[in-house]
Amino acid sequence: MKFEYKQNIFFHKLKNQKILVTGGSGFIGTHLIRRLKRLGTQVDNFDIREGCNIENTQQLAEFVKRKYDVIYHLSGYSGSVQSNKNTKKSFKINTFAMQNLCQLICQCSSH
């Protein structure tokens, strides 16, 4: 019960916030976005299924420039079979995409 109580307090603070979810079309992202929308947040989904590519820094920058209150970074090259078959691609997408996102956030917040 205590956990549920604290969780509700956290989500309540997100009301009316502008939120970006990368990878929002995956299993976790879908449920997160659904919950956030129920709370009255404005949510943008940056996902390959929505025509967005986490490897495209320019495309990602256009989203980050919109000045979000919260960013949930869930996108990445997933699936253990895929990741194990192509470890370089997995590392590139999962590591460099996160690095690019962090750099873009820092650049946009300094302007």
Side-chain angles (χ1 to χ4, degrees):
M1 278 301 217
K2 277 188 173 182
F3 176 75
E4 186 65 31
Y5 175 71
K6 288 182 181 179
Q7 184 180 8
N8 286 337
I9 289 173
F10 172 74
F11 279 112
H12 179 71
K13 289 181 181 182
L14 292 175
K15 189 173 185 175
N16 299 320
Q17 298 288 303
K18 190 173 176 186
I19 299 174
L20 173 64
V21 178
T22 68
S25 296
F27 179 77
I28 296 171
T30 300
H31 292 280
L32 176 62
I33 288 174
R34 187 179 309 138
R35 177 78 183 261
L36 291 169
K37 285 183 176 181
R38 267 191 267 139
L39 294 170
T41 63
Q42 178 191 336
V43 183
D44 288 335
N45 180 10
F46 188 93
D47 192 279
I48 195 92
R49 292 180 191 136
E50 300 292 325
C52 302
N53 185 345
I54 196 70
E55 294 181 273
N56 184 331
T57 306
Q58 188 173 16
Q59 192 179 43
L60 185 59
E62 291 303 314
F63 272 77
V64 174
K65 286 178 187 175
R66 297 178 187 175
K67 303 283 185 180
Y68 293 93
D69 299 304
V70 177
I71 298 176
Y72 290 98
H73 178 54
L74 305 175
S75 71
Y77 193 63
S78 62
S80 60
V81 173
Q82 293 173 359
S83 295
N84 288 329
K85 281 185 179 178
N86 196 340
T87 55
K88 287 182 182 180
K89 182 176 182 178
S90 178
F91 181 81
K92 179 184 173 194
I93 293 172
N94 294 338
T95 304
F96 293 134
M98 177 64 166
Q99 181 181 359
N100 288 339
L101 178 60
C102 290
Q103 287 175 342
L104 290 168
I105 292 167
C106 289
Q107 289 171 6
C108 290
S109 64
S110 65
H111 292 129

